[in-house]
Amino acid sequence: MEPGEYRERGKEMVDYICQYLSNVRERRVTPDVQPGYMRAQLPDSAPVEPDSWDNIFRDIEKIIMPGVVHWQSPHMHAYFPALTSWPSLLGDMLADAINCLGFTWASSPACTELEMNVMDWLAKMLGLPDTFLHHHPDSQGGGVLQSTVSESTLIALLAARKNKILEMKVLEPDTDESTLNSRLVAYTSDQAHSSVEKAGLIALVKMKFLPVDENFALRGEALKRAIEEDRKQGLVPVFVCATLGTTGVCAFDSLSELGPICAAEGLWLHIDAAYAGTAFLCPEFRLFLKGIEYADSFTFNPSKWMMIHFDCTAFWVRDKYKLQQTFSVNPIYLRHANSGAATDFMHWQIPLSRRFRSLKLWFVIRSFGVKKLQAHVRHGTEMAKYFESLVRSDPLFEIPAKRHLGLVVFRLKGPNWLTEKVLKELNKSGRLFLIPATIHDKFIIRFTVTSQFTTREDILRDWHIIQQTAAQIINQHYMLHPISSADGAKIPNIISNSSPIADNGTSPFHTEVGEHKAPSRKIIVQPKKVAVSPTTCVVSQHLEAQVDPLDDCFPEDVPYVTQHKLSSFLFSYLSVQDKKKTARSLSCNSVPTISHPKAAASEKNGSYPGDKILSKLPKEVMMLKKSAFRKLIKFYSVPSFPECSIQCGIQLPCCPLQAIV
């Protein structure tokens, strides 16, 4: 390819990238392919003769895109964000053209010096201590760009290990370093990322996972207790990894409690803020940084939420000399005239060579400015708050952990297999992408607002898909089986099938109620009166149970329930009157009033079609006050369930409570 063709093809690629990112929300989020899908589309061997660029370009959509997960899609809610932006892409375009290997200052002075200055900018933007700055009279620390937080955590652990072994060698000069290393122990919470465990495996340092409190945070008391126990066993505590924004629920360890203990006990305190670090651009989120002055190292990913594409991980240390003593290897061919006087980042990392990553960071910070970056973080947080409000408005769902920043965790009430089934169906559809986690033995779904392009309409569209999928799963596994009557007839199931979402992306079962769109109800034809046996329905013995019926009636070891069980949205009542039983729905005001033509006509005539039915209800039911009735049937857990109502003809809409009267 000659320069002229590169100019032409480069413009063509820029246009393609603009079109792709501008319309990414229209694509299926996850690919519908199987492992090995690409094998049949590629030749067994590389081409001997050059291929034309036109053929190569066509294969992007033909071969590559069918197997891509579209991480920039507003409907991508798995993991944490992995964002990019136009200035970031331009930064790497230039960096790739320069293609320097900035292992020393002499190998490319601009690469080293821009990184030092931009890392100082970023530390100040986040409110980090001055001890993390390159250019500060009271600092002997500084920042460097690494490839991942996983690598940064390993680097911190290796530096802490080296420093501790040197201290131990003073007291035990004749002891082998491998023997000393075998006595070292490190700590983190049981909510920490798997990369912390992997760092321990690579460094050959025992890693202990400490229990967290009710907010999933590692507290000082748990750390102090573990240190005391390990010292009694002859172990040497060396390292603590505190997490700000855990992977499971975005919980925050207590730095203000962990920090003083680490300082008193001589432990290296490393902070993993991979996702949440970007939030500290906003002063209102910096309360989680209380105690940061005790940290020996701090890392986060601008490549997650700060719209700087992978790879770009910021890593700061309070004492750069402890880092350099761990990784310094200085052969003659890497020395230069300013060795020692200038910063050589090859001594701050595991690999030798390094990319010009600071260019894209510099481009993004300058293009957006601090104010627009703060607005971006606040927008993502507000979108997560909106999704949280939608989940809380549906009694079928629960939020088992507090929302922090852009992550909401939720689940269907009931056994774990129900939520697992919903997640499986959601991901199978490809319309959105979610991943699970577990807390307190509960299977949960993580919903992360990942894209800067996410709108309220995107959130509402995805929530409708979740509701629809949940309704379908509940129809399959939770509805009452048809009830056999005395003459062999069956009463129809009372839950109707969910309707698919309309082509315009809106749910077919919602109406405007206040700020949010509330589900509307499809009127189901009232089943005919049939005689049934008193033994065909589960009755009031369940009412005395004080636990949630969803957990009580469907044990975890029964994957698919086949018996008649009381659930929190299907209530059965049995009354015997003159040996004749009629299937009816028990009307209540749990849902908004739905007009009914026959009821309206009856109102004009001064009579109601339900009067006769109401007169036949047992006095014990009719005399119940509303509060007592709610307590009796555990009304708090009865949802306003989409498309699952029976119109009983009493002019009031019916909640899904089947009664046999």
Side-chain angles (χ1 to χ4, degrees):
M1 183 179 288
E2 298 299 324
E5 185 181 3
Y6 172 75
R7 187 188 301 273
E8 177 187 349
R9 299 305 189 180
K11 291 177 180 178
E12 185 180 49
M13 182 59 73
V14 167
D15 288 342
Y16 177 82
I17 291 171
C18 287
Q19 185 273 337
Y20 166 71
L21 290 176
S22 299
N23 298 287
V24 68
R25 64 163 34 88
E26 308 302 328
R27 292 179 181 257
R28 178 187 170 106
V29 182
T30 53
D32 186 16
V33 296
Q34 297 300 318
Y37 86 96
M38 193 180 290
R39 178 65 176 160
Q41 301 183 62
L42 295 177
D44 291 337
S45 303
V48 176
E49 299 296 332
D51 202 349
S52 72
W53 180 257
D54 288 331
N55 289 339
I56 297 171
F57 192 78
R58 276 196 298 268
D59 283 345
I60 295 174
E61 282 294 332
K62 180 182 176 182
I63 299 176
I64 303 303
M65 285 301 176
V68 168
V69 174
H70 299 288
W71 284 69
Q72 306 310 306
S73 172
H75 308 302
M76 168 71 178
H77 303 295
Y79 312 110
F80 279 127
L83 299 183
T84 188
S85 61
W86 309 121
S88 180
L89 294 173
L90 292 174
D92 247 9
M93 184 183 294
L94 178 58
D96 291 344
I98 296 172
N99 198 33
C100 65
L101 305 180
F103 40 80
T104 63
W105 179 88
S107 67
S108 188
C111 180
T112 298
E113 298 213 2
L114 180 62
E115 187 162 330
M116 293 174 67
N117 282 278
V118 171
M119 289 301 291
D120 278 4
W121 281 9
L122 191 53
K124 294 175 183 177
M125 290 163 63
L126 299 179
L128 299 183
D130 292 341
T131 51
F132 285 153
L133 301 178
H134 284 284
H135 305 100
H136 192 279
D138 299 327
S139 173
Q140 58 181 14
V144 60
L145 290 174
Q146 306 284 1
S147 61
T148 63
V149 162
S150 300
E151 186 177 3
S152 298
T153 298
L154 174 59
I155 289 170
L157 178 57
L158 292 173
R161 183 187 71 169
K162 179 69 173 181
N163 188 63
K164 182 61 69 174
I165 288 177
L166 291 176
E167 291 178 3
M168 296 168 71
K169 288 286 284 185
V170 174
L171 301 176
E172 304 177 53
D174 298 329
T175 306
D176 185 80
E177 288 192 9
S178 61
T179 301
L180 297 175
N181 189 86
S182 67
R183 288 157 49 190
L184 300 180
V185 60
Y187 308 96
T188 192
S189 88
D190 58 16
Q191 300 295 307
H193 191 265
S194 60
S195 61
V196 184
E197 180 180 6
K198 184 177 287 188
L201 293 174
I202 296 172
L204 299 177
V205 174
K206 300 177 187 69
M207 186 68 65
K208 290 199 172 182
F209 301 92
L210 306 182
V212 294
D213 66 7
E214 65 279 4
N215 294 317
F216 308 99
L218 179 59
R219 304 293 298 275
E221 187 59 36
L223 175 62
K224 191 173 183 179
R225 185 166 53 250
I227 292 173
E228 291 173 354
E229 292 174 356
D230 288 336
R231 288 199 188 279
K232 290 178 182 178
Q233 296 178 11
L235 298 177
V236 180
V238 61
F239 177 87
V240 172
C241 179
T243 306
L244 299 183
T246 59
T247 303
V249 298
C250 198
F252 292 80
D253 293 342
S254 177
L255 298 185
S256 60
E257 295 181 10
L258 301 176
I261 296 173
C262 290
E265 299 286 348
L267 277 67
W268 182 295
L269 177 58
H270 172 68
I271 298 174
D272 172 358
Y275 162 65
T278 301
F280 303 140
L281 291 169
C282 302
E284 63 267 29
F285 296 126
R286 292 179 191 165
L287 70 161
F288 297 115
L289 283 177
K290 184 179 180 181
I292 185 65
E293 64 274 11
Y294 294 100
D296 292 281
S297 54
F298 179 93
T299 185
F300 91 103
N301 276 330
S303 60
K304 278 188 167 61
W305 203 5
M306 201 172 155
M307 299 183 289
I308 301 163
H309 65 271
F310 184 84
D311 60 348
C312 184
T313 294
F315 176 65
W316 290 271
V317 288
R318 186 167 58 180
D319 189 342
K320 62 187 176 185
Y321 300 109
K322 290 180 180 179
L323 200 63
Q324 292 170 358
Q325 73 183 4
T326 306
F327 299 103
S328 287
V329 178
N330 200 21
I332 190 171
Y333 52 81
L334 294 178
R335 299 172 193 167
H336 56 90
N338 293 292
S339 291
T343 295
D344 293 331
F345 278 134
M346 68 177 184
H347 302 314
W348 294 52
Q349 61 183 30
I350 294 172
L352 172 64
S353 300
R354 52 201 331 274
R355 299 175 60 245
F356 202 164
R357 299 187 189 98
S358 57
L359 268 177
K360 57 187 174 184
L361 181 58
W362 188 48
F363 280 16
V364 167
I365 293 174
R366 292 186 64 186
S367 296
F368 286 97
V370 175
K371 286 187 177 180
K372 286 195 175 181
L373 289 171
Q374 290 173 336
H376 161 66
V377 170
R378 289 168 181 145
H379 171 74
T381 303
E382 287 302 313
M383 291 299 97
K385 286 181 181 179
Y386 178 53
F387 179 78
E388 179 188 25
S389 70
L390 295 173
V391 177
R392 291 193 184 280
S393 69
D394 191 331
L396 282 179
F397 292 87
E398 64 177 337
I399 296 179
K402 183 179 180 181
R403 178 201 57 79
H404 286 299
L405 306 178
L407 173 63
V408 180
V409 298
F410 68 100
R411 68 190 300 273
L412 271 172
K413 294 178 180 177
N416 285 338
W417 62 261
L418 181 61
T419 302
E420 290 184 57
K421 180 69 173 175
V422 170
L423 177 62
K424 181 180 178 181
E425 293 300 318
L426 286 170
N427 287 339
K428 183 179 177 181
S429 74
R431 293 184 289 177
L432 64 164
F433 187 20
L434 301 156
I435 63 168
T438 56
I439 53 174
H440 298 324
D441 297 324
K442 284 189 174 183
F443 186 92
I444 61 173
I445 299 175
R446 298 172 70 263
F447 185 101
T448 310
V449 177
T450 60
S451 173
Q452 66 267 45
F453 305 119
T454 301
T455 64
R456 290 172 69 92
E457 289 72 23
D458 293 321
I459 296 293
L460 191 59
R461 174 260 194 192
D462 292 345
W463 173 238
H464 285 156
I465 292 174
I466 294 169
Q467 283 188 310
Q468 177 196 21
T469 304
Q472 292 170 345
I473 299 303
I474 291 171
N475 275 342
Q476 295 171 16
H477 302 295
Y478 272 103
M479 65 182 180
L480 290 176
H481 288 185
I483 303 174
S484 298
S485 66
D487 59 359
K490 290 187 176 182
I491 300 173
N493 290 321
I494 68 170
I495 301 181
S496 65
N497 292 329
S498 300
S499 301
I501 287 184
D503 292 338
N504 61 4
T506 61
S507 171
F509 42 90
H510 71 265
T511 54
E512 294 288 346
V513 177
E515 183 182 359
H516 307 310
K517 295 181 179 180
S520 64
R521 274 78 181 164
K522 183 168 66 179
I523 298 175
I524 311 297
V525 177
Q526 173 68 32
K528 296 180 180 179
K529 297 182 180 181
V530 292
V532 297
S533 167
T535 61
T536 58
C537 194
V538 178
V539 286
S540 59
Q541 62 266 29
H542 295 284
L543 296 178
E544 297 175 4
Q546 296 301 311
V547 296
D548 193 326
L550 279 170
D551 292 318
D552 181 38
C553 298
F554 302 101
E556 293 287 347
D557 57 351
V558 181
Y560 299 104
V561 179
T562 57
Q563 306 102 321
H564 292 308
K565 295 285 187 177
L566 175 69
S567 74
S568 63
F569 63 93
L570 293 176
F571 171 79
S572 299
Y573 178 85
L574 181 64
S575 175
V576 180
Q577 178 182 344
D578 297 330
K579 299 181 181 180
K580 290 185 178 181
K581 280 69 63 178
T582 303
R584 282 297 194 194
S585 62
L586 183 62
S587 177
C588 69
N589 59 356
S590 64
V591 292
T593 301
I594 303 174
S595 61
H596 192 279
K598 293 183 179 179
S602 301
E603 183 179 2
K604 292 180 180 179
N605 298 329
S607 62
Y608 297 90
D611 288 344
K612 187 175 181 181
I613 298 174
L614 289 172
S615 67
K616 292 182 179 181
L617 287 174
K619 289 185 178 181
E620 292 79 6
V621 174
M622 298 306 296
M623 292 176 63
L624 281 173
K625 292 183 178 179
K626 187 174 182 180
S627 60
F629 182 67
R630 288 188 177 186
K631 184 176 181 182
L632 175 65
I633 65 170
K634 297 171 74 74
F635 187 85
Y636 65 87
S637 63
V638 178
S640 181
F641 193 72
E643 296 201 341
C644 295
S645 302
I646 295 179
Q647 182 64 26
C648 61
I650 311 180
Q651 195 185 12
L652 294 176
C654 296
C655 69
L657 306 177
Q658 183 188 14
I660 299 176
V661 296

